[in-house]
C-alpha cells in the first residue's frame, strides 16, 4: 500500500510537471508570436518615418538649392552694377584729369598776365612819380591829409547835429517822465539827523546815571556797547556808537531808567534787555510797514529785518529807509512810463541800500553787500542785480537797473534831502577843477552851480572842435570813475578863437 501510494505520488508529480511544462511552452509561443507581431509593426512604422524624413530632406535640399540659385543671381547682378559704376568712375576721372590739365594751363596764362600787368603798373607809377616829383608814400600821405582836412569839418558838424537831435528827443521825453513822477510823489524835504543825545530832567540825574565809583555808567556801557559821555553840557548826555541800533537801545534804556528812577546795575540789565526787545519789534515793524506801503509782498523775513534797521541809518542827514520808500514810489511811476517791470523796479528800489545796515559789520561797498544779501536770502536774481548796479562802478545790464540809478540820483539830489558840510563841499569843488586841469590843452576851469557844472576853457591853437567834443567826454568819464556825488555834473568845454588886427 505504501509502495502504491508512493508510485501514485510519483506518477502524479510527473503528470503535473509535464502539464506545467506544456502550459509554459504554450505561453512562450504566444509571447513570441506577440513580440514578432509588435516587431513587424515597429518595422513598418520606422519604414514609414524614414520615408517621411527622406521626403522632408528632399524638400529642404530643394529649397536650399533654390535659395542658392537666387543668391547667386543677386551676387551676379551686384557684380554687374559694380562693374558699371567702376566704368563710370573711370570716365569721370578721365574727365577730371582733362579739366585739371586745362586749369593748370589757364593758371599759367593768368600768372603771365598778372606779371605783365605788374610790369605795366610799375612803369606807370615810375612815370607818374617823375611827372609829379613825389613817391607813392608821399602822395598817399598828402592825399590822407587833404581827405582828413576836408572830412574833419563835416564830422564836427555831423557830431554836433546828432548830439543836438539826441538831446532834443531824449531830454524832452526823459524830462516829461521824471517831472510827472516827481509831481505825483511829494515827501518831506527836511533832513533828519541821528539822535545822539538824551535830555535830562535835572542835573542831579547825571550823578545817578554815573553811580557810585562809576558803576552805573560802566554797566550801561557794557550792556549796550555805547560810549556814554557825561560832560559839562547842561541838561544833556551824549551817546556815541558806530551802530545806530545800539545807540537807539541805549537812548530808550536811559529814558526808561530816568522815568522809573531806580538806577543800579541789576536794574540796568533788565531795562537794556527790554529796550533791545522794543527796538527789535520796531525794526521788524518798520520793515513790514515799508514793504506794505510800497506794495511788495513775499519779501524774506531776513531782508525785512535788515530793511527795518535802515530806519536808524542816515546818509548825509537823509533817513535811508524813507529815501528807499520814496525811491520805490518814483521808480514804479517811471517804470510804468517806459515799459519796465514795475514789481522788480519797486522791489529793487526798496532794498537797494540794504547793505548800509551792514557796512559796519562787513567789508565792501554797500551796493555790493546789498546784492550779496539779497541772493543769500532768496530774493529774485533780477532784483539783486538791479540793487547791486545802482552805482556807476558796476555796469547796468537791464532797464530796471538804470531806473534805480536815475531814481537814486533824483531822491538824493532834491533840495533839502541831504546836508553836506562846507568843508566837503569846497573839497568837491576843488576836486572837480583839478580833474579838468589834469588834461593837456586846458587854459582854465571853473566849478560853478554848486558843483553841478564844470566850465573848461581850452587853448584854441592846441584843441580843435573835434578834440573839444572828445575832451568833454573824457573829462566826464574821469569824473564818473574818480568821484562820488549825487545827481549829474555838466561838463562844458569852451573853445574861443579871437581874430585881432590893428588898423594903422
Amino acid at each position: 500500500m505504501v509502495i502504491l501510494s508512493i508510485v501514485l505520488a510519483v506518477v502524479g508529480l510527473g503528470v503535473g510537471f509535464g502539464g506545467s511544462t506544456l502550459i509554459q511552452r504554450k505561453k512562450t509561443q504566444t509571447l513570441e508570436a506577440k513580440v514578432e507581431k509588435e516587431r513587424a509593426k515597429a518595422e513598418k512604422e520606422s519604414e514609414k518615418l524614414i520615408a517621411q524624413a527622406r521626403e522632408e530632406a528632399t524638400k529642404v535640399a530643394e529649397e536650399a538649392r533654390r535659395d542658392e540659385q537666387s543668391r547667386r543671381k543677386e551676387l551676379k547682378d551686384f557684380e554687374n552694377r559694380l562693374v558699371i559704376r567702376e566704368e563710370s568712375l573711370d570716365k569721370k576721372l578721365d574727365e577730371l584729369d582733362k579739366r585739371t590739365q586745362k586749369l593748370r594751363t589757364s593758371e599759367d596764362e593768368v600768372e603771365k598776365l598778372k606779371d605783365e600787368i605788374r610790369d605795366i603798373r610799375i612803369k606807370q607809377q615810375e612815370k607818374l612819380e617823375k611827372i609829379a616829383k613825389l613817391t607813392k608814400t608821399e602822395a598817399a600821405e598828402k592825399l590822407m591829409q587833404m581827405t582828413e582836412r576836408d572830412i574833419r569839418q563835416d564830422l564836427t558838424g555831423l557830431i554836433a547835429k546828432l548830439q543836438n537831435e539826441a538831446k532834443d528827443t531824449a531830454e524832452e521825453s526823459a524830462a516829461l517822465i521824471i517831472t510827472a513822477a516827481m509831481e505825483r510823489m511829494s515827501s518831506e524835504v527836511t533832513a533828519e539827523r541821528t539822535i545822539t543825545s538824551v535830555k535830562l530832567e535835572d542835573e542831579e540825574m547825571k550823578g545817578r546815571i554815573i553811580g557810585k565809583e562809576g558803576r552805573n555808567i560802566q554797566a550801561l556801557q557794557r550792556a549796550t556797547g555805547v560810549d556814554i559821555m557825561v560832560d559839562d553840557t547842561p541838561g544833556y548826555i551824549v551817546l556815541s556808537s558806530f551802530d545806530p541800533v545800539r545807540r537807539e537801545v541805549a537812548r530808550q534804556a536811559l529814558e526808561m531808567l530816568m522815568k522809573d528812577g531806580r538806577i543800579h546795575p541789576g536794574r540796568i540789565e533788565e531795562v537794556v534787555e527790554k529796550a533791545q526787545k522794543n527796538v527789535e519789534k520796531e525794526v521788524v515793524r518798520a520793515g513790514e510797514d515799508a514793504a506794505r506801503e510800497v506794495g511788495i509782498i513775499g519779501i524774506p523775513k531776513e531782508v525785512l529785518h535788515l530793511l527795518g534797521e535802515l530806519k536808524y541809518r542816515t546818509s548825509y542827514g537823509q533817513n535811508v529807509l524813507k529815501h528807499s520808500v520814496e525811491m520805490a514810489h518814483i521808480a514804479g511811476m517811471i517804470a510804468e512810463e517806459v515799459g519796465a517791470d514795475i514789481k522788480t523796479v519797486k522791489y529793487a528800489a526798496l532794498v537797494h541800500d540794504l547793505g548800509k545796515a551792514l557796512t559796519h559789520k562787513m567789508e565792501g561797498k554797500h551796493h555790493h553787500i546789498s546784492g550779496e544779501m539779497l541772493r543769500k536770502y532768496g530774493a529774485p536774481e533780477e532784483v539783486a542785480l538791479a540793487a547791486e548796479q545802482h552805482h556807476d562802478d558796476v555796469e547796468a545790464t537791464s532797464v530796471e537797473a538804470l531806473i534805480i540809478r536815475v531814481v537814486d540820483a533824483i531822491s538824493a539830489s532834491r533840495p533839502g534831502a541831504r546836508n553836506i558840510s562846507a568843508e566837503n563841499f569846497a573839497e568837491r569843488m576843488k576836486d572837480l577843477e583839478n580833474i579838468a586841469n589834469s588834461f593837456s590843452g586846458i587854459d582854465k576851469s571853473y566849478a560853478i552851480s554848486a558843483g553841478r557844472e564844470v566850465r573848461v576853457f581850452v587853448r584854441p591853437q592846441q584843441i580843435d572842435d573835434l578834440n573839444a567834443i572828445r575832451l568833454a567826454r573824457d573829462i566826464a568819464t574821469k569824473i564818473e570813475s574818480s568821484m562820488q556825488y549825487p545827481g549829474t555834473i555838466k561838463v562844458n568845454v569852451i573853445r574861443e578863437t579871437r581874430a585881432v588886427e590893428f588898423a594903422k
Side-chain angles (χ1 to χ4, degrees):
M1 286 297 289
V2 174
I3 297 171
L4 181 61
S5 298
I6 292 170
V7 171
L8 287 173
V10 171
V11 172
L13 288 170
V15 173
F17 179 75
S20 62
T21 303
L22 288 173
I23 292 169
Q24 188 68 30
R25 285 179 181 178
K26 285 181 180 181
K27 287 182 179 180
T28 303
Q29 290 174 358
T30 303
L31 288 172
E32 288 177 354
K34 286 183 180 180
V35 169
E36 184 65 26
K37 187 177 178 180
E38 292 294 332
R39 186 182 62 76
K41 185 178 179 180
E43 286 179 355
K44 289 179 181 181
E45 289 179 357
S46 63
E47 289 176 358
K48 187 177 179 180
L49 290 172
I50 291 168
Q52 289 177 356
R54 285 177 180 173
E55 288 178 3
E56 290 179 359
T58 304
K59 289 179 181 180
V60 170
E62 189 65 28
E63 289 178 359
R65 194 178 299 111
R66 285 198 296 269
D67 290 342
E68 185 179 359
Q69 288 176 356
S70 63
R71 288 178 181 174
R72 285 180 179 178
K73 186 178 179 181
E74 289 176 359
L75 285 172
K76 190 173 182 181
D77 294 339
F78 184 69
E79 288 176 355
N80 292 334
R81 289 198 296 271
L82 284 176
V83 170
I84 293 169
R85 286 186 180 180
E86 287 178 357
E87 292 176 353
S88 64
L89 284 172
D90 291 338
K91 290 180 181 179
K92 289 181 179 179
L93 286 172
D94 293 338
E95 291 177 359
L96 282 173
D97 290 338
K98 292 178 182 178
R99 290 182 181 179
T100 304
Q101 189 64 31
K102 288 181 180 179
L103 285 172
R104 288 175 181 171
T105 306
S106 301
E107 285 178 357
D108 295 337
E109 293 177 356
V110 169
E111 286 296 328
K112 290 179 181 179
L113 289 172
K114 284 182 178 179
D115 293 337
E116 292 178 0
I117 291 170
R118 287 194 197 97
D119 294 338
I120 292 170
R121 282 183 177 176
I122 291 170
K123 291 178 181 178
Q124 287 179 346
Q125 185 176 337
E126 290 175 353
K127 288 181 180 179
L128 287 172
E129 288 178 357
K130 287 180 180 179
I131 294 170
K133 296 181 180 179
L134 289 173
T135 63
K136 180 181 178 181
T137 305
E138 293 172 348
E141 289 178 356
K142 284 202 169 186
L143 182 61
M144 288 296 294
Q145 291 174 359
M146 293 171 61
T147 305
E148 184 179 357
R149 188 167 53 251
D150 294 337
I151 292 175
R152 184 182 293 273
Q153 295 180 352
D154 295 337
L155 284 175
T156 304
L158 178 61
I159 291 172
K161 181 181 178 182
L162 291 174
Q163 287 181 340
N164 291 331
E165 289 179 356
K167 287 178 182 178
D168 292 340
T169 56
E171 289 184 1
E172 183 178 358
S173 59
L176 288 173
I177 293 171
I178 293 173
T179 304
M182 294 176 71
E183 285 177 349
R184 291 169 61 187
M185 180 64 196
S186 61
S187 58
E188 299 177 358
V189 297
T190 55
E192 290 189 1
R193 293 184 182 275
T194 304
I195 297 173
T196 57
S197 59
V198 179
K199 188 175 181 180
L200 303 178
E201 296 178 359
D202 51 48
E203 289 297 316
E204 293 181 2
M205 189 59 68
K206 285 186 178 181
R208 297 179 63 187
I209 290 173
I210 295 171
K212 188 177 181 181
E213 297 179 358
R215 284 183 295 180
N216 291 343
I217 195 170
Q218 289 175 7
L220 267 170
Q221 291 178 344
R222 189 166 50 249
T224 60
V226 174
D227 291 331
I228 302 174
M229 293 177 285
V230 182
D231 53 15
D232 296 334
T233 305
Y236 284 97
I237 289 179
V238 179
L239 308 177
S240 175
S241 174
F242 65 90
D243 190 332
V245 177
R246 292 185 192 173
R247 200 159 49 236
E248 178 66 14
V249 170
R251 184 188 68 81
Q252 291 190 15
L254 270 174
E255 289 180 353
M256 285 190 285
L257 286 169
M258 289 187 296
K259 189 179 295 185
D260 183 50
R262 294 176 296 165
I263 304 176
H264 55 81
R267 179 62 179 164
I268 286 171
E269 291 181 0
E270 295 177 5
V271 172
V272 169
E273 185 176 355
K274 186 177 180 181
Q276 288 174 344
K277 291 179 180 179
N278 290 340
V279 172
E280 183 70 18
K281 290 179 182 178
E282 291 178 7
V283 165
V284 174
R285 190 183 303 112
E288 292 175 349
D289 291 343
R292 192 181 301 111
E293 181 180 350
V294 175
I296 301 298
I297 59 175
I299 300 178
K301 292 182 180 180
E302 296 84 359
V303 175
L304 284 176
H305 189 278
L306 291 174
L307 186 64
E309 289 188 12
L310 296 180
K311 177 182 178 181
Y312 303 105
R313 287 300 302 266
T314 59
S315 179
Y316 296 102
Q318 185 181 30
N319 184 276
V320 179
L321 183 58
K322 288 185 178 180
H323 163 67
S324 301
V325 172
E326 178 186 74
M327 274 185 58
H329 288 303
I330 299 176
M333 299 172 194
I334 294 177
E336 187 176 0
E337 293 291 335
V338 301
D341 190 330
I342 299 175
K343 182 179 178 181
T344 299
V345 165
K346 294 178 76 173
Y347 194 160
L350 184 64
V351 299
H352 77 288
D353 274 345
L354 205 67
K356 287 186 177 180
L358 297 169
T359 49
H360 56 285
K361 300 177 183 177
M362 297 177 62
E363 294 183 358
K365 297 182 178 179
H366 73 275
H367 51 289
H368 295 170
I369 299 174
S370 297
E372 183 180 345
M373 291 297 104
L374 289 169
R375 292 187 183 92
K376 178 180 179 181
Y377 295 125
E381 178 62 21
E382 57 271 17
V383 174
L385 280 175
E388 190 176 41
Q389 297 170 356
H390 79 272
H391 280 308
D392 294 336
D393 62 334
V394 182
E395 183 180 0
T397 57
S398 64
V399 178
E400 289 77 13
L402 288 172
I403 292 175
I404 302 302
R405 187 176 294 185
V406 170
V407 175
D408 185 42
I410 292 173
S411 176
S413 61
R414 62 183 174 82
R418 294 186 173 184
N419 291 330
I420 303 176
S421 65
E423 183 180 352
N424 292 337
F425 174 75
E427 185 178 353
R428 194 181 74 173
M429 300 282 280
K430 186 177 180 181
D431 289 341
L432 283 173
E433 293 180 356
N434 290 337
I435 288 173
N437 292 330
S438 65
F439 291 85
S440 60
I442 306 299
D443 185 18
K444 51 190 174 182
S445 60
Y446 300 105
I448 61 174
S449 299
R452 300 295 181 188
E453 182 180 353
V454 182
R455 289 189 180 177
V456 181
F457 294 87
V458 300
R459 299 184 183 93
Q461 63 274 17
Q462 296 182 12
I463 306 293
D464 56 16
D465 290 338
L466 188 62
N467 286 326
I469 297 172
R470 188 182 298 112
L471 178 64
R473 189 182 304 110
D474 292 342
I475 293 174
T477 302
K478 189 169 182 180
I479 291 173
E480 290 175 356
S481 62
S482 59
M483 292 187 64
Q484 293 291 334
Y485 53 90
T488 58
I489 296 176
K490 180 181 179 181
V491 179
N492 193 357
V493 176
I494 300 172
R495 179 177 182 269
E496 182 182 18
T497 304
R498 296 184 180 182
V500 180
E501 190 62 48
F502 295 95
K504 298 179 181 178

